[in-house]
Every structure is written in structure tokens, then in C-alpha cells.
Amino acid sequence: MPPPQKAASNRSLPWLMSAPAILLCSVMLLVPLLLTVLLSFNAFDADTGPKAGTFTLEHYRAVLTDPYYYEIFWRTFWIAGLVTLICIAVGTPQAYILNRMRKPWRSIMLLVVLAPLMISVVVRAFGWSMLLGPEGLVNGVLSAFGIGPFKMLYTETAIVVALVHVMLPFMVIPVWTSLQKIDPGVVNAALSLNASPTTALRRIVLPQIMPGVLSGSLIVFGLSASSFAIPGLLGGRRLKMMATLIYDEYLHELNWPLGAAIALLLLLANLAIMLGWNRMIERRYKKALG
């Protein structure tokens, strides 16, 4: 093959190999997203439903000017942020302990961490509803000590507890993967230079696992902010989050354009928060490593 043709073939080969993935992404993600964008600008009539071919900004105006939606946005991102912080505080030490374990205990504990992912989120939500209910196990134990009972079901506390349980593996695995890449000799060298274990952990281990913490926090925050099953089952009808609000607009009110507008605003707000968090952590990571 002549050199020009060979060079052209080498340039087109990556595109040809990526074509199935690009096609799948376009069909399964980009096309539905584009249709949702178009739907959000359609007018809505309570008698006839969405009016195709129309254009209006009324749905976005209604969301951006109504304090009711601001309250739900705030609740959604406050809960997602709190769940992310708790997962970082619990998952990072858990991943460190998991990394320090020897076989076969490491494999056993890794299976314990991953086992909840094999159970449906709906099943786990029902399990937490029985644990946190007025006659549940948690209130039963508290009552045995003369404390309570407390109202935990259909509260923000119930949503946070269940979301932490569901999202914790998504924090542990990225951090554990980052720990696997650290050379133990570096930590041993710091200890041989009279650095305390706490100093070695703070100055050597933590800066190097920040990419794992960043990846895990982005996954946890994104999934928590868009979670539907747990807020719907443990939050009840009055304690709404954005996903349950979108569900109500689509299936109860049948106002598809308004539901599409809310979904897109949630997506944009989610992206803005996650990109800002990503940039802040990356700057600290680069500064820590010089």
C-alpha cells in the first residue's frame, strides 16, 4: 500500500473501531436527550396534552420563578451532597482497611462490599422502610433502652441513610483501585525517615488516592441527585426530590413538557456542580503532588 493510503488507513482505523460504540451512544443517549430537549419547548394543554410543533419558554419560566421548585432543588442537592460526604468519610477508611487486608480476608470483605449491588434497589428500600418504621427494628431497639420511638420513616434522615447504604460501594471501589496503584515501598521509605504513620498517611497516601476519591464522589453525587426509588419509597409523597417530581409530572399530571424541562434543568445543575467539584479537587491534587 502506498504511504499516503497507508497513512489515511491508519487515521480512519480508530474511527472504524469506535463506530459501534458511537452509534450505540447516539441511539441510546443523544437521540433521546435531543427529543427531550424538543419536548421541553412544546406547549401543553390540559385537555389535549403536549402540542407538537409549538415553541414556548413557559415551562422553564415556571420552574425558575417558583420557590416551590427551588425548595425541591435545594433538598435534592443538599441530600446528595451530604450522602457524598458521608460516603467519603466512611468509604475511604474502609477502602484503606480493605487494601491492608491479606488473603483470603480481602476477597471476603470485597464480596461483602459488592454483595448489596446484587440486590435490587427497590428491595433494599423496602428493607429500610421496615427497619426505620414506627414498629421497625431500630425503634424496637431504642424502645428497649427507654428511648423513642422516633419518626424516621418519610424523613430526610431515612433517605440519607438508605442512599449511603446503596452508594457506598461506588465510593469504596474507586478508592481501593487507587490504593492498589501505590507502591508500598514509598510509604515504607517515609516511615524509615522517622515519619509517623499518620504523617505518611496524610502526606503520601491521601494525595495519591484523590483521583479515586474524586471519581467515587462524582458517581455518588450524580446517582444520589437523580435517585428515584429510595426517595419515592422512603420520602413519601410529601417529601419530594427532583426525580420523584419529574415522575409525577410525567405520569400523574401528564405534563410531559414540564417534566422534560425539569429533567433538563436537573441535568444542567448536576453537570455544573460536578464540573466545579472536579476542577477544585484536581487543583488540590496537582498542588499536593507538585
Side-chain angles (χ1 to χ4, degrees):
M1 182 181 297
Q5 295 182 5
K6 186 176 181 180
S9 176
N10 291 336
R11 286 194 300 268
S12 61
L13 183 60
W15 289 101
L16 292 175
M17 296 179 65
S18 304
I22 295 174
L23 180 62
L24 181 64
C25 178
S26 301
V27 174
M28 303 297 293
L29 178 63
L30 298 181
V31 173
L33 184 59
L34 178 60
L35 293 176
T36 303
V37 172
L38 296 176
L39 177 62
S40 67
F41 291 107
N42 286 344
F44 175 76
D45 184 84
D47 297 325
T48 61
K51 297 181 178 180
T54 58
F55 180 85
T56 180
L57 296 174
E58 177 62 26
H59 309 299
Y60 290 96
R61 187 201 63 79
V63 175
L64 295 176
T65 58
D66 193 337
Y68 170 74
Y69 295 107
Y70 281 105
E71 179 184 354
I72 298 178
F73 267 108
W74 166 249
R75 180 184 299 124
T76 298
F77 292 124
W78 177 83
I79 290 177
L82 180 60
V83 169
T84 303
L85 292 177
I86 295 175
C87 285
I88 292 174
V90 176
T92 303
Q94 186 176 354
Y96 182 77
I97 295 172
L98 181 65
N99 184 65
R100 302 283 292 181
M101 285 183 174
R102 297 172 181 255
K103 295 181 179 180
W105 295 108
R106 179 188 296 176
S107 301
I108 295 173
M109 291 306 299
L110 185 61
L111 181 61
V112 171
V113 172
L114 296 177
L117 298 178
M118 304 177 187
I119 305 174
S120 170
V121 176
V122 177
V123 175
R124 282 183 280 176
F126 274 117
W128 278 109
S129 66
M130 290 186 288
L131 287 174
L132 301 177
E135 305 296 331
L137 178 62
V138 175
N139 270 319
V141 172
L142 293 176
S143 298
F145 289 95
I147 306 173
F150 296 102
K151 180 184 178 181
M152 290 178 283
L153 194 61
Y154 306 130
T155 63
E156 293 180 355
T157 301
I159 298 175
V160 170
V161 170
L163 281 176
V164 168
H165 173 246
V166 171
M167 301 300 170
L168 192 58
F170 297 105
M171 176 61 67
V172 174
I173 298 305
V175 177
W176 179 67
T177 303
S178 297
L179 285 167
Q180 293 290 98
K181 300 177 182 179
I182 298 178
D183 186 0
V186 178
V187 180
N188 294 332
L191 296 175
S192 68
L193 295 173
N194 292 327
S196 65
T198 303
T199 302
L201 180 64
R202 180 173 56 87
R203 299 290 298 273
I204 296 175
V205 177
L206 286 181
Q208 295 191 69
I209 66 173
M210 286 309 294
V213 174
L214 175 61
S215 300
S217 61
L218 291 177
I219 294 172
V220 170
F221 183 87
L223 293 178
S224 299
S226 59
S227 177
F228 168 73
I230 288 177
L233 294 173
L234 298 180
R237 301 300 305 164
R238 295 184 179 180
L239 194 63
K240 292 184 183 295
M241 291 178 63
M242 294 309 301
T244 54
L245 178 63
I246 294 168
Y247 174 87
D248 288 343
E249 293 297 338
Y250 266 96
L251 296 182
H252 288 178
E253 304 296 331
L254 299 180
N255 192 343
W256 293 4
L258 179 58
I262 298 173
L264 290 173
L265 290 174
L266 174 62
L267 174 62
L268 293 176
N270 226 344
L271 287 175
I273 294 173
M274 293 170 69
L275 289 175
W277 175 253
N278 179 64
R279 177 167 295 184
M280 183 181 70
I281 296 298
E282 279 189 344
R283 286 180 179 175
R284 293 191 176 185
Y285 171 68
K286 292 179 181 179
K287 183 178 180 181
L289 295 182

